[in-house]
């Protein structure tokens, strides 16, 4: 029996159906633009998000990077959240490889939401002392939470008033769409570029897409090549991605229901605190009493489960976690606490 792995929604393995699609994928050399499966995926994603074009990238890190570099020149800056993936978790790539300075800002009361006033206040005047503010980067979902209704519109108004572009790290945009009932097209509408991940909850083994205007995607294409992301018969990966977009979006609701069930079950227990933001999409954040951490990891291991180590943990539901699995996880917590 396979292990129940709650560390991340990146741990999913391709299903038999997806593997069949991979095996039968039509391929060509994508550096020549010849791979029909890559082209089909890019067209599908562009259309789905209501944009002109899309670019298949091996990772979300690269997709965000080439997006930022397409918007910004050397000496420009992007405004970003203090714990945003595009600031904190991408090795400082935009600064290292593009000489683009991040201007990180603290969030307000809600994770992922930088108050628009604060964004406005951080935009720099045109003055030789300063980097040139060029771009605002948001993330949806952030910390498992969809951005609140109306927020993006407010930020877009600030961006428009100052001639700034907008980029969205939408690694889990489909979770936001399923949760809020809005289309990804609507959620993407105010952004000039959007990065989406196929290898998170959607269950593809590899891949992300940068979606946006033809101009931005063309520029990003050059950066992708330069950063070593020009892949040849990438259609075997793209076919899995297309399958994921066509088959695995609506079922994200199951992951959300499972996360909620997990959060609710844990709330009833002593020795574990369920933190804010839990169960909104596919994530649950808990603080386990220090004295129970060892017992929990022993029981989890014995039961064939993989949980993140430590006292402050993020548990993530996905394609390979069933409602029954959640019952078993709750039993393990119950036994340990
Ligand atoms: C996973 C993730 C990415 C991209 O990560 P890769 O591992 O490089 O594909 C970007 N942003 C967020 C919010 C993520 O969770």
């Amino acid at each position: 029996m396979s292990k129940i792995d709650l560390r991340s929604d990146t741990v999913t393995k391709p299903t038999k159906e997806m593997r069949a699609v991979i095996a039968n994928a039509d391929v060509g050399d994508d550096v020549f633009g010849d791979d029909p499966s890559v082209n089909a995926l890019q067209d599908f994603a562009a259309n789905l998000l209501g944009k002109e074009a899309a670019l298949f990238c091996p990772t979300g890190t690269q997709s965000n990077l080439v997006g930022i570099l397409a918007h910004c020149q050397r000496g420009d800056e992007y405004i970003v959240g203090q714990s945003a993936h595009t600031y904190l978790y991408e090795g400082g790539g935009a600064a290292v490889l593009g000489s683009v300075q991040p201007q990180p800002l603290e969030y307000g009361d809600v994770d992922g939401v930088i108050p628009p006033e604060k964004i406005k206040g951080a935009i720099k005047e045109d003055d030789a002392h300063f980097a040139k503010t060029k771009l605002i980067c948001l993330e949806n979902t952030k910390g498992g939470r969809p951005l609140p209704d109306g927020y993006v519109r407010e930020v877009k108004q600030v961006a428009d008033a100052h001639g700034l572009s907008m980029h969205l790290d939408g690694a889990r945009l489909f979770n936001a769409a399923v949760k809020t009932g809005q289309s990804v097209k609507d959620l993407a509408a105010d952004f000039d570029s959007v990065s989406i991940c196929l290898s998170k909850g959607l269950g593809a083994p590899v891949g992300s897409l940068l979606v946006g205007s033809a101009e931005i995607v063309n520029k990003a294409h050059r950066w992708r090549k330069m950063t070593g992301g020009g892949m040849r018969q990438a259609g075997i990966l793209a076919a899995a991605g297309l399958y994921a977009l066509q088959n695995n979006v609506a079922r994200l609701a199951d992951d959300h229901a499972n996360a909620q069930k997990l959060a609710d079950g844990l709330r009833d227990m002593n020795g574990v605190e369920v933190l804010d933001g839990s169960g909104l999409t596919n994530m649950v954040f808990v603080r386990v009493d220090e004295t129970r951490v060892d017992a929990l990891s022993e029981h989890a291991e014995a039961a064939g489960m993989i949980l993140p180590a430590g006292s402050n943990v993020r548990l993530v539901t996905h394609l390979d976690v069933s409602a029954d699995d959640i019952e078993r996880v709750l039993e393990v917590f119950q036994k340990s606490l």
Side-chain angles (χ1 to χ4, degrees), residues 47-60:
N47 189 48
L48 192 61
L49 270 73
K51 305 290 186 201
E52 286 173 353
L55 183 69
F56 184 51
C57 293
T59 64

Side-chain angles (χ1 to χ4, degrees), residues 101-240:
Q101 159 177 296
Q103 168 59 71
L105 298 176
E106 293 294 343
Y107 298 107
D109 297 334
V110 179
D111 191 18
V113 175
I114 313 166
E117 279 306 311
K118 210 176 209 172
I119 293 176
K120 210 192 252 175
I123 298 169
K124 292 167 182 60
E125 294 170 40
D126 186 2
D127 177 315
H129 290 85
F130 302 137
K132 285 187 193 162
T133 311
K134 191 73 218 311
L135 178 70
I136 300 171
C137 283
L138 299 179
E139 189 172 313
N140 199 9
T141 59
K142 167 73 176 73
R145 184 193 291 274
L147 290 178
D149 220 23
Y151 171 63
V152 172
R153 199 91 270 279
E154 288 179 57
V155 176
K156 171 72 171 162
Q157 281 164 5
V158 174
D160 284 348
H162 295 83
L164 307 183
S165 303
M166 301 258 288
H167 172 77
L168 179 68
D169 178 356
R172 296 187 179 85
L173 187 63
F174 291 90
N175 294 86
V178 166
K179 177 66 186 190
T180 63
Q182 288 181 274
S183 67
V184 284
K185 194 176 192 163
D186 285 346
L187 295 174
D190 285 328
F191 294 93
D192 300 290
S193 57
V194 180
S195 169
I196 56 170
C197 282
L198 305 167
S199 60
K200 302 263 159 97
L202 297 182
V206 173
S208 285
L209 289 144
L210 181 76
V211 192
S213 67
E215 188 193 345
I216 285 297
V217 168
N218 275 336
K219 286 185 185 168
H221 182 262
R222 170 174 283 275
W223 284 113
R224 187 189 69 172
K225 183 66 188 157
M226 205 187 295
T227 50
M231 300 182 288
R232 303 292 177 173
Q233 285 72 36
I236 55 168
L237 302 174

